[in-house]
Amino acid sequence: MKNIILFSSLIMFLQGCSSIEPWVKPYERAHLADPIMEFGRDPISENYIHHVYDSRESARGAGIATGGGCGCN
Amino acid sequence: MSLSSIHAAVLPEDRADILYHSYDGGGAEISGPSYLVRKKFSESVSASVNHYVDSVSSASIDVITRASPYTEERTENSLSVDYLHEKTLISVGITESIENDFDATTFSFGISQDMFGDLTTIGMSFALGDNIIGETGNDTFSEEATVRSYRFSLSQVMTKDLIMAFTLETITDEGFLNNPYRAIRYIDPLDPLNYIYDDEVYPNTRTSHAAAIRGKYYLPFRAALHGGFRVFSDDWGIEAQTYEIGYTWPYSEALTLEFNFRFYDQTKADFYSDLFPFPDAQNFLARDKEMSTFTSNTLGLGAHYKFIKNGSGFIKRGSVNFSWDYIQFDYEDFRDLTVAGVPPGQEPLYEQDANVIRAFVSIWF
């Protein structure tokens, strides 16, 4: 809970900086807006493959969170 | 390794997906459907529901060396609600997973904020999971575990062709962390050419840290290259690295192809051994292959075909999608006990491969 409060405070602080001039103008973002540039374009598919790895490898986190058992006994 | 869109201060589009998934490898076959529906209820509220099923038929090496092949089913249901206020997106969710010997309930909360002319998205999330672990054939066995995860993410538009993302996540576990079906083995004190199985003993707590950096680059022609690196460590002594690279290629207006390669490498837990020298050789004991030293390599291919591009009725867009991943696991200190007639510790090292299929239809409405 302490982390949540700390982070919420950080977000409110950084909101004060939102007037910084963007160095990539809105009209220059056509490539970034292309669907091929999306991370995790299909959540139903991404969640599944991450569950496959989480169930069979010890490393976890910093990807997509998944819950439940592994069905991998 | 993935993350959400760069456009955090926009609610996700309304869509419905039906997916068939299949994992076939190492003697285990796991398949089933998954259904997801996401719908906006106003300009600021969106919700999604997901129903997922694993039908398991297993004769894996862990099963055939200790028990009989089995079948079972796992069902998972989840609900999440997103609330958008100006450039802040707040998400809450609940996931419930049920199988005959394992129940898990997870609550999650997340907040993200766009800033600096929408070039930067910063976010944090917290999840709390309660697990109840049982054991088939042993009605008196019931244990619990609690999982907490704390996650920080930052995505940054670097140039008009490059976006980067950085993620940190700490996960803590407390409670019964063993797999009740797994066992260790030690050399028979009365016969060194034989070994004896015994229960595993795990610590009751675990804390892990993971950090990942990823990037996606739009090439001079219409195609995208992406890469990622994740580093992981925990207080059980496991260290791991994950490397990913991929290429997204719009072959035609309707067909997009994807190619991916992933490499994973981990060290063993401090208390892991394939063969202990005598009973109760140390305070914690494990022989799970997931705790051993191993690498995995994945080669993935995907195809996405848009069958509706500019729909005018209820359906705006639609696509059919197919992905195939081939995974090879190579274990460096986990031995294949199905090979008989050799002294303990001289069995060949175990290896397995798997084919993973995802086939799904998506519609946007």
Side-chain angles (χ1 to χ4, degrees):
Chain A
M1 182 55 74
K2 193 192 297 179
N3 290 342
I4 293 173
I5 294 170
L6 189 66
F7 187 74
S8 301
S9 304
L10 179 64
I11 283 182
M12 285 188 276
F13 170 75
L14 289 173
Q15 275 186 304
C17 305
S18 58
S19 59
I20 287 179
E21 190 71 16
W23 58 90
V24 179
K25 307 291 185 194
Y27 58 82
E28 294 178 314
R29 299 179 193 175
H31 289 174
L32 297 170
D34 191 312
I36 66 170
M37 287 293 283
E38 271 188 62
F39 287 106
R41 189 167 40 171
D42 299 302
I44 194 170
S45 174
E46 296 287 330
N47 282 341
Y48 171 70
I49 197 68
H50 285 275
H51 180 67
V52 166
Y53 290 124
D54 283 355
S55 302
R56 291 163 183 84
E57 300 171 345
S58 282
R60 59 187 186 171
I64 284 184
T66 53
C70 62
C72 60
N73 186 36
Chain B
M1 299 199 297
S2 187
L3 52 149
S4 59
S5 159
I6 63 170
H7 308 290
V10 176
L11 287 174
E13 291 179 280
D14 292 350
R15 66 184 289 174
D17 301 83
I18 300 175
L19 175 138
Y20 168 79
H21 60 84
S22 166
Y23 179 97
D24 186 353
E29 294 179 16
I30 306 164
S31 61
S34 180
Y35 311 97
L36 184 144
V37 177
R38 171 173 281 283
K39 178 84 179 75
K40 284 193 196 79
F41 291 94
S42 70
E43 288 304 307
S44 58
V45 177
S46 170
S48 75
V49 293
N50 182 212
H51 175 72
Y52 173 97
V53 178
D54 270 336
S55 295
V56 183
S57 172
S58 183
S60 70
I61 186 166
D62 306 299
V63 171
I64 59 177
T65 54
R66 289 278 295 152
S68 302
Y70 70 94
T71 59
E72 68 174 15
E73 187 170 284
R74 180 174 81 88
T75 302
E76 182 181 299
N77 294 298
S78 64
L79 167 68
S80 71
V81 178
D82 298 314
Y83 173 68
L84 177 68
H85 176 70
E86 296 181 350
K87 293 181 180 297
T88 304
L89 186 67
I90 296 171
S91 304
V92 293
I94 180 171
T95 299
E96 186 173 54
S97 169
I98 297 173
E99 51 194 305
N100 63 331
D101 54 2
F102 195 104
D103 291 347
T105 305
T106 304
F107 300 93
S108 62
F109 171 82
I111 182 169
S112 67
Q113 171 81 32
D114 274 11
M115 56 189 69
F116 306 141
D118 296 342
L119 297 184
T120 304
T121 302
I122 195 165
M124 195 197 79
S125 62
F126 170 73
L128 172 65
D130 283 318
N131 300 335
I132 299 174
I133 304 104
E135 183 179 6
T136 301
N138 182 1
D139 293 339
T140 63
F141 181 90
S142 180
E143 297 283 353
E144 296 183 8
T146 302
V147 186
R148 294 178 177 85
S149 79
Y150 308 85
R151 179 183 170 106
F152 169 80
S153 62
L154 171 73
S155 75
Q156 180 67 55
V157 171
M158 306 298 287
T159 71
K160 62 184 178 62
D161 294 313
L162 176 65
I163 181 168
M164 302 287 294
F166 177 68
T167 310
L168 282 173
E169 187 164 2
T170 293
I171 302 176
T172 65
D173 300 83
E174 187 173 7
F176 185 84
L177 307 181
N178 296 34
N179 181 327
Y181 302 104
R182 301 285 177 87
I184 61 110
R185 62 173 184 154
Y186 61 86
I187 296 174
D188 185 345
L190 303 177
D191 179 5
L193 295 179
N194 194 21
Y195 58 83
I196 297 172
Y197 285 113
D198 200 358
D199 292 339
E200 289 191 318
V201 183
Y202 273 31
N204 288 327
T205 61
R206 181 187 184 199
T207 300
S208 68
H209 306 285
I213 187 164
R214 304 174 179 93
K216 201 155 196 178
Y217 181 70
Y218 193 99
L219 293 166
F221 48 96
R222 187 171 178 246
L225 198 61
H226 71 266
F229 172 66
R230 178 179 69 170
V231 61
F232 168 90
S233 68
D234 69 12
D235 58 1
W236 287 2
I238 297 171
E239 295 184 356
Q241 293 85 39
T242 309
Y243 305 84
E244 280 187 341
I245 190 166
Y247 180 60
T248 306
W249 178 36
Y251 176 78
S252 69
E253 184 64 26
L255 180 63
T256 298
L257 303 175
E258 291 190 3
F259 307 89
N260 299 288
F261 177 72
R262 178 183 187 272
F263 174 73
Y264 173 82
D265 177 31
Q266 79 168 52
T267 62
K268 70 180 180 69
D270 293 335
F271 50 93
Y272 170 88
S273 178
D274 179 69
L275 177 65
F276 289 94
F278 48 85
D280 302 320
Q282 53 197 50
N283 56 342
F284 298 122
L285 305 153
R287 194 184 167 269
D288 277 338
K289 61 183 181 301
E290 292 79 13
M291 295 285 151
S292 70
T293 307
F294 70 92
T295 60
S296 75
N297 289 278
T298 303
L299 184 64
L301 303 174
H304 305 261
Y305 183 78
K306 294 179 199 167
F307 62 90
I308 300 174
K309 282 176 273 188
N310 296 300
S312 55
F314 175 69
I315 299 175
K316 294 176 185 168
R317 304 195 316 275
S319 69
V320 290
N321 313 272
F322 181 84
S323 295
W324 168 70
D325 293 277
Y326 174 74
I327 312 176
Q328 169 78 44
F329 297 90
D330 290 305
Y331 299 89
E332 295 180 22
D333 49 16
F334 180 83
R335 295 186 179 276
D336 185 353
L337 303 191
T338 61
V339 177
V342 294
Q346 299 297 310
E347 302 91 349
L349 293 170
Y350 183 64
E351 59 183 33
Q352 62 170 326
D353 54 12
N355 288 289
V356 183
I357 301 291
R358 287 168 283 169
F360 61 104
V361 177
S362 306
I363 59 167
W364 287 261
F365 55 90

